[in-house]
Each structure stands twice: as C-alpha cells, then as structure tokens.
Amino acid sequence: MEKTDWKRIGWLTAATLVLGAIIGACAGLLTLLLYGVEYVMLGFIESEFIPGAFTVPAVRRIASVTLGLGVAGVIWYLLRTKTEKVPSVKKAVNGGRMPFWQTIVHVVLQIFIVGSGASIGREVAPRELGAMLAQRFCDIFHIGDGEGDAHGVLDRRMVVAVAAGAGLGGVYNAPLAGMFFAVEILLVDVTLEKVAFGLGMSATAAFVATAIKGEHMFYDIGAMQMNSTPSLMLFALLCGTACGVVGALFRKGSQWAESHKPTGRSLMRQMPIAGLVTGLVSIVVPQVMGNGRAAAQLGFSTFIPETADTSGAAQSAASAAASPWTFLAGSDGAPGSVVNAGTPLELNRLWMLLGVLALTFVAKALVTLMTIRSGASGGVLQPGIALGSTLGTMLGLLWLFVFPVDSVTACALIGAAALLSASQQAPLMAMCLVMELTEAPIEFFVPVGMAVAASAFVSSGLLHRLG
C-alpha cells in the first residue's frame, strides 16, 4: 500500500483555503480599485444600474481615456525597458518567474486603464496576481524547487495555474469558469485532482472577494424568457456557426495586435493616441469604453414587447431604466426614439436597432484591437462577450420575424457564450463564465451548450486553415 503523503495533503489544503482567500481578497480589492479609478477619472461607478459611461460628458470621456493611456504608456515603457519583464500567465505556469513589485505595478496599470475607459478586458490582472502569489507560496513550501524533482515541478505548475484561475473566479464571482480556465486553457489536462483543487480554490477566492466588493448582478438578462424552445435550439446551432467564424477572426486579430505591440519609445506616443481615438469614438458610441460591460448589456437589454405574449419575456421598470438603450435615448427616450428598443418591432425600427448594434460591434472590435496594438496589456474575455452579445442580438432580431416565440435576450446570451468560446478556444470556460455572469436559468445550459459546441467546431477548423 502506498504511503500517505501528509505533507502534500497539507500544502494542498493550505493552497485551497489560505492562498485562495488571499487571492480572493486581492480580487476584491482590485474591483474596488476599478471603481475608485472610474469615480475619479469619469465621475461614475459602473453597476447594474449604470453599466457604462453614458452619463459622463463627452469632453471628460475623451480626457479620461487619453490621460489614462498616456500615463500608463510612460510607466509601461519604463517597466518593460528598465526593469525585469513580467511574463505572461502561461509562461509563469511553465516556469517563468514573475517579479514581485513589477507584477503589482503591471496589474494596477491594467485596472487603471480600464477604469479610465480603455477598451480592453481587466481579467488578466487578477490572473497575473494569482500566479505571482502562487509562486511565492510554492517557495515557502519548497514545491518544485529542487533539481530532479519532476513530481514537484508538476505540482508547482498545477498550483500556479489553479491560482491564476482563482483570480478570474474571484473577480467575477465565477468559480466554475476559474476552474475551467486553469485546467482547459493553462494546464490542458483535466484530471479529478486538478478539477477538485481548481474548483476549491476558485470557490474560496470567489467567496472572499464577494465579501469585500459586494455581491451584485453583472449582466441583467431580465428581459429573457424563462424556458427554452425547440426553435431556440435551431437558433443556437446557426448562431454558434456564425460566432465560430467571427470569434476565430477576432482571435487572429488580437494575436496579430499582441505580436505587433511597440517595444520602444513609440509606446509612449501610440498609447495616448489610442486613448484619444477611443474618446472620439465614444462621442457617438459611448458603450465602446471600458472592458465591454456596457456594449454587452446593450445586447442583453434589447427587448421587443411584441414577443412578450408568446415567449413569456417581460422587462421590469428597473431593467428598462438601467438599459443602455435608455441612456442612449437620453431625454429623447420616448416610444418614438430611434434607439429605444422597448417598442414594437417594425421594419423601419428594425434597421435602426441593427444599425446601432452593428456600429457598436464594429467599434468595439476595432477599438479593442487598436488598444492592444498600441501597447496596452489586458484581456479580451469581456470584449469577446460584448461582441458575441451584440452579434447574437442582431441575428436574434431577424430570427424574431420567423420565430417570435423566442426573446432577443436569449439570442444575445447564446451569442455571447458562442463567440467567447471561439475567441478563447475554451468552450467549457466560455459557457460557464457567461452563465455565471448572467445568472441564467440552468435550463439554458442546453441551447448555450449547443451553440458553444458548434462554435468550437467551426472555429477550430477555421483557425487550423488560417494557420
């Protein structure tokens, strides 16, 4: 009989509870930092009631994002050329050393630019912080630091990957997504031990983070029907196919932008220019700013009353008041307003809605790629959800003419998960993250799963062809 390794059981338990709690606390504090930056730079704090900088004057939006990326450009230039570089999370999992204070500055800068209005995701920051803390944890317990200790090296790799996933799970209160990020993307190795370890640490991090930053709805999908339909399954298959193509192209675009970042002094010039362009675009498309929450909510909040009697969908007064469509309508948000989605679907209004959504989709995709290309560090998870939500909504509006039994919000949910799956090449993580962020009814795992499967299949084949 194999002897029980009590030391290993001890540090696994400590990692799950102690390291998970520390990462959760850091994730909660990073969220509060984001809110603080938003308040100082833009004069608002994102929430389920105000998902984006819609109420911020245009001049302040331009000044905030230009200044934010300008300051970050100078600091990143010094950080990347004068000090030890911060490796990616994947490199850290494979042994790359994450320097202590450089990683902290790198993480804070990512939160700072998102809070200033830069169009890029903030989820990389807690993952990097989690990976750095995990390496220090492994040093304390002497995990994988001895020559010839192959088993210890594998354990160290597992701890760093799971801790990075716990950072994601903590900041978004999404333990399933955090676990799948670790085992599906970083480790590419799904075993019972890794799943249990990852889920335990992500759940601990999510619990602690929520105690610090509070628990609130991230995406409001209250305008969705409560039950799936056969026609929605067909839509999921078709939408998943379309999102597979678009998601693969977005992935290639983000990889190109990442590989063509400036490395010298031009970084200090290109980043503020990217900020200025973002601010100018936000004059017409304010939902382009930030990590993608406002743009995604635009899709989730699209509500057509004509389908209410058949789909069972209904939009509450609170949801309507907090809808990006209402903010875009401004003082003009009467039933006749061009951008007010809460009106019966007529052909002329259909083209108006599609126009706003298409403009949002194109602007968000291009501005996000431009921001990455300029030299900014950050993620594309939330931008991917935003693109999927708006694309799913556009397809859903057309779908309603044939199958009015379905709601546009359900189509947006399906699109968000499908495009994220394709852009990340991680169907399980994508499906769970979108379902956890929206708190969607468990029944919708079925159509969402269908769309994610179609998207993963199509995008994998297309990316293989593109090379």
Side-chain angles (χ1 to χ4, degrees):
M1 181 179 294
E2 187 176 348
K3 187 178 179 180
T4 301
D5 189 345
W6 291 107
K7 180 181 177 182
R8 189 168 187 273
I9 292 175
W11 67 251
L12 277 172
T13 303
T16 302
L17 299 178
V18 179
L19 181 58
I22 294 172
I23 292 172
C26 291
L29 292 174
L30 288 178
T31 302
L32 295 182
L33 174 62
L34 174 71
Y35 295 161
V37 174
E38 286 178 337
Y39 183 76
V40 172
M41 299 292 286
L42 290 165
F44 93 108
I45 297 177
E46 68 176 62
S47 67
E48 62 267 38
F49 306 109
I50 308 178
F54 297 103
T55 59
V56 180
V59 173
R60 186 166 184 173
R61 290 201 296 262
I62 297 172
S64 173
V65 68
T66 304
L67 177 63
L69 283 175
V71 170
V74 173
I75 299 176
W76 259 320
Y77 167 73
L78 297 173
L79 196 65
R80 293 170 183 173
T81 59
K82 307 299 182 183
T83 69
E84 186 178 352
K85 291 184 178 180
V86 178
S88 67
V89 172
K90 283 191 175 182
K91 289 181 179 178
V93 170
N94 292 320
R97 185 70 174 177
M98 302 198 77
F100 184 76
W101 71 264
Q102 291 95 329
T103 299
I104 293 176
V105 174
H106 188 60
V107 164
V108 170
L109 281 177
Q110 293 176 58
I111 300 298
F112 174 70
I113 63 171
V114 173
S116 302
S119 179
I120 198 167
R122 64 183 171 103
E123 69 281 345
V124 171
R127 298 194 316 235
E128 289 180 341
L129 192 57
M132 186 272 288
L133 292 172
Q135 289 184 340
R136 271 57 188 182
F137 175 88
C138 291
D139 293 343
I140 293 173
F141 282 87
H142 303 289
I143 302 170
D145 59 358
E147 292 186 11
D149 184 10
H151 189 71
V153 171
L154 291 176
D155 279 343
R156 187 184 187 94
R157 185 170 182 270
M158 177 181 68
V159 173
V160 174
V162 165
L168 173 66
V171 80
Y172 288 131
N173 193 25
L176 282 174
M179 178 271 291
F180 278 122
F181 175 81
V183 302
E184 188 179 25
I185 295 180
L186 296 178
L187 295 173
V188 197
D189 181 19
V190 182
T191 65
L192 183 60
E193 180 181 70
K194 291 179 177 63
V195 169
F197 185 37
L199 191 55
M201 192 186 296
S202 286
T204 302
F207 176 78
V208 174
T210 300
I212 293 174
K213 64 184 177 66
E215 186 172 0
H216 58 270
M217 185 185 303
F218 199 87
Y219 291 124
D220 179 8
I221 59 167
M224 188 174 73
Q225 79 253 31
M226 295 305 297
N227 297 304
S228 180
T229 62
S231 58
L232 195 62
M233 292 295 292
L234 177 59
F235 175 83
L237 184 61
L238 298 175
C239 181
T241 301
C243 288
V245 175
V246 176
L249 295 176
F250 182 63
R251 179 180 179 87
K252 293 295 290 185
S254 60
Q255 289 175 339
W256 174 86
E258 187 71 36
S259 64
H260 286 77
K261 282 183 175 181
T263 55
R265 292 181 179 274
S266 61
L267 175 70
M268 295 186 286
R269 180 183 68 255
Q270 293 190 32
M271 284 188 63
I273 292 175
L276 178 61
V277 173
T278 302
L280 293 174
V281 172
S282 75
I283 296 175
V284 180
V285 193
Q287 62 271 24
V288 78
M289 296 186 72
N291 62 6
R293 183 175 187 176
Q297 191 60 60
L298 184 73
F300 292 132
S301 294
T302 304
F303 175 67
I304 308 301
E306 275 188 342
T307 66
D309 293 337
T310 51
S311 69
Q315 190 176 40
S316 67
S319 293
S323 167
W325 292 104
T326 301
F327 287 112
L328 290 175
S331 59
D332 233 11
S337 174
V338 169
V339 293
N340 191 339
T343 55
L345 186 60
E346 301 169 353
L347 194 57
N348 63 336
R349 192 166 303 281
L350 169 68
W351 292 116
M352 295 173 185
L353 295 175
L354 289 176
V356 174
L357 289 162
L359 180 61
T360 301
F361 177 89
V362 173
K364 189 63 183 176
L366 293 180
V367 173
T368 299
L369 296 179
M370 176 195 66
T371 303
I372 298 172
R373 171 65 178 80
S374 73
S377 292
V380 290
L381 285 185
Q382 290 297 338
I385 292 176
L387 295 179
S389 173
T390 50
L391 179 58
T393 300
M394 287 188 280
L395 297 175
L397 286 170
L398 300 175
W399 186 257
L400 256 63
F401 278 101
V402 183
F403 296 101
V405 70
D406 297 318
S407 66
V408 183
T409 302
C411 298
L413 176 74
I414 288 170
L419 196 143
L420 182 63
S421 167
S423 64
Q424 294 293 309
Q425 289 295 282
L428 295 174
M429 185 278 296
M431 178 171 60
C432 289
L433 180 60
V434 171
M435 293 293 286
E436 287 175 305
L437 288 177
T438 59
E439 300 179 15
I442 194 73
E443 183 177 349
F444 283 86
F445 262 110
V446 178
V448 168
M450 174 66 77
V452 164
S455 174
F457 179 78
V458 171
S459 62
S460 176
L462 180 58
L463 288 170
H464 180 73
R465 286 177 176 272
L466 293 175

